[in-house]
Amino acid sequence: MSVFGENLQFYRKKKDMTQEQLAEQLEVSRQTVSKWESGVSYPEMEKILQLCDLFSCSMDTLMRKNAADSEVEDSEGYERYMEKKRKNTTIGVSLLIMSVAFQQLLTGFGWQEAVANTIFMAIAIVAILVLVVAGMQEDVFRKNHPVIAEFYTPEEIARFDEKFPIRIATGIGMILVGVLLAMNADDFPLWAGVKEEFYYGIFLFLVAIAVGIFVHTGLGEGKYDIAAYNKANCKAVKKENEIIGIWCGCIMIVATIVFFVAGFVYNLWEICWVAFPVGGMICGIATLILKGMRR
């Protein structure tokens, strides 16, 4: 039996398919599938591509590698990478919001504006670097692992789905509590030397934690959608994502310029942070529009 034949048999049995069922999907005879598995003959390129799509594997793995060993290695690597991505992305996004929260808290405690802004910039820079590294690592991983076979069990997915609404509700609750604090900041008691910005800082801290929950939970849901991961690595979708990335990058650069101009030129540090959430919302709108135009 050839390497291809062994791999084909492995993937077919993993899908719990008979030779007849596989032959029906590929519109060939059962004898043809039997010949492929025994190494007597090989399929045409069109059928090989169909097999790769059906079994969510790369052509190189199907034709030359040991499919069983490759699948175990890819599955373990995918799990490690996705958990690392969840952690780093959550830290980066949360720190970015917390940088503004620290700036507001320190201002509320009466710290000098220059010191508060310096701490804000230091935390923001760390957050941006974490996100940049996470993005670069994702490009490398996707390039080295363009196709991942489905390996999560329905039970694993079901356990996550049970926790999903609880986590989302927790994040929403934290934001609502934060909004309540921000709306009534003028009426809440303040200690000597403390300004109302203190409550705005608490609000942003709650938002940072809530957004961190959303990001971590959302990436966790995406981890189990291996079909979407494989689809995203096709050339058409990659091109679409590159265009979206360019637009969102430009939007966030403009938001950063607005932030610095409003802060350093017009001394509007108390409200200039709004440029970032507004930029994020515009990115979301641009993404929906660009995806809609390509439908």
Side-chain angles (χ1 to χ4, degrees), residues 109-152:
F109 281 119
W111 285 44
Q112 291 184 358
E113 188 176 282
V115 176
N117 292 338
T118 300
I119 293 176
F120 154 73
M121 285 301 301
I123 299 175
I125 289 171
V126 171
I128 292 170
L129 292 177
V130 170
L131 292 174
V132 168
V133 171
M136 294 176 68
Q137 289 176 337
E138 179 173 12
D139 289 339
V140 172
F141 184 85
R142 285 183 178 274
K143 182 179 179 180
N144 294 331
H145 304 82
V147 179
I148 300 293
E150 298 275 357
F151 65 92
Y152 289 113

Side-chain angles (χ1 to χ4, degrees), residues 142-276:
R142 285 183 178 274
K143 182 179 179 180
N144 294 331
H145 304 82
V147 179
I148 300 293
E150 298 275 357
F151 65 92
Y152 289 113
T153 64
E155 292 75 19
E156 290 176 308
I157 298 174
R159 282 197 298 270
F160 177 84
D161 288 341
E162 288 179 3
K163 299 175 183 177
F164 183 85
I166 298 174
R167 295 176 181 177
I168 296 300
T170 300
I172 293 173
M174 295 184 74
I175 290 178
L176 292 176
V177 171
V179 169
L180 182 64
L181 287 174
M183 288 176 59
N184 297 281
D186 294 338
D187 301 321
F188 284 148
L190 293 169
W191 302 274
V194 177
K195 304 175 184 177
E196 64 185 37
E197 281 82 3
F198 167 79
Y199 289 110
Y200 298 143
I202 297 297
F203 159 65
L204 288 171
F205 260 114
L206 292 174
V207 170
I209 296 173
V211 170
I213 292 173
F214 294 151
V215 171
H216 194 264
T217 304
L219 290 176
E221 184 181 37
K223 179 183 74 171
Y224 292 105
D225 194 353
I226 296 179
Y229 171 90
N230 293 335
K231 182 180 178 181
N233 288 331
C234 73
K235 290 183 178 180
V237 176
K238 286 177 70 175
K239 184 65 176 178
E240 177 182 293
N241 290 338
E242 287 176 3
I243 295 173
I244 292 172
I246 292 171
W247 274 97
C248 289
C250 292
I251 290 170
M252 294 313 295
I253 288 173
V254 171
T256 303
I257 293 172
V258 170
F259 172 81
F260 283 123
V261 170
F264 287 111
V265 178
Y266 297 100
N267 200 32
L268 297 174
W269 295 108
E270 294 182 358
I271 61 171
C272 64
W273 57 270
V274 175
F276 291 111

Side-chain angles (χ1 to χ4, degrees), residues 36-188:
W36 291 348
E37 291 188 356
S38 62
V40 175
S41 64
Y42 288 88
E44 300 173 351
M45 180 60 69
E46 179 185 354
K47 299 302 180 185
I48 292 175
L49 294 175
Q50 284 183 259
L51 288 168
C52 290
D53 289 338
L54 177 62
F55 298 131
S56 297
C57 65
S58 67
M59 188 185 303
D60 186 53
T61 300
L62 179 63
M63 302 300 296
R64 300 196 309 169
K65 296 182 179 180
N66 184 308
D69 292 343
S70 296
E71 185 163 315
V72 171
E73 182 180 344
D74 287 348
S75 299
E76 292 176 350
Y78 177 82
E79 175 68 20
R80 287 195 302 270
Y81 164 71
M82 291 303 291
E83 286 302 314
K84 183 178 180 181
K85 175 185 175 182
R86 289 178 74 190
K87 181 185 72 173
N88 290 342
T89 305
T90 301
I91 290 173
V93 173
S94 298
L95 276 180
L96 200 56
I97 301 174
M98 283 187 179
S99 64
V100 186
F102 269 111
Q103 196 264 353
Q104 290 291 297
L105 273 177
L106 296 177
T107 300
F109 281 119
W111 285 44
Q112 291 184 358
E113 188 176 282
V115 176
N117 292 338
T118 300
I119 293 176
F120 154 73
M121 285 301 301
I123 299 175
I125 289 171
V126 171
I128 292 170
L129 292 177
V130 170
L131 292 174
V132 168
V133 171
M136 294 176 68
Q137 289 176 337
E138 179 173 12
D139 289 339
V140 172
F141 184 85
R142 285 183 178 274
K143 182 179 179 180
N144 294 331
H145 304 82
V147 179
I148 300 293
E150 298 275 357
F151 65 92
Y152 289 113
T153 64
E155 292 75 19
E156 290 176 308
I157 298 174
R159 282 197 298 270
F160 177 84
D161 288 341
E162 288 179 3
K163 299 175 183 177
F164 183 85
I166 298 174
R167 295 176 181 177
I168 296 300
T170 300
I172 293 173
M174 295 184 74
I175 290 178
L176 292 176
V177 171
V179 169
L180 182 64
L181 287 174
M183 288 176 59
N184 297 281
D186 294 338
D187 301 321
F188 284 148

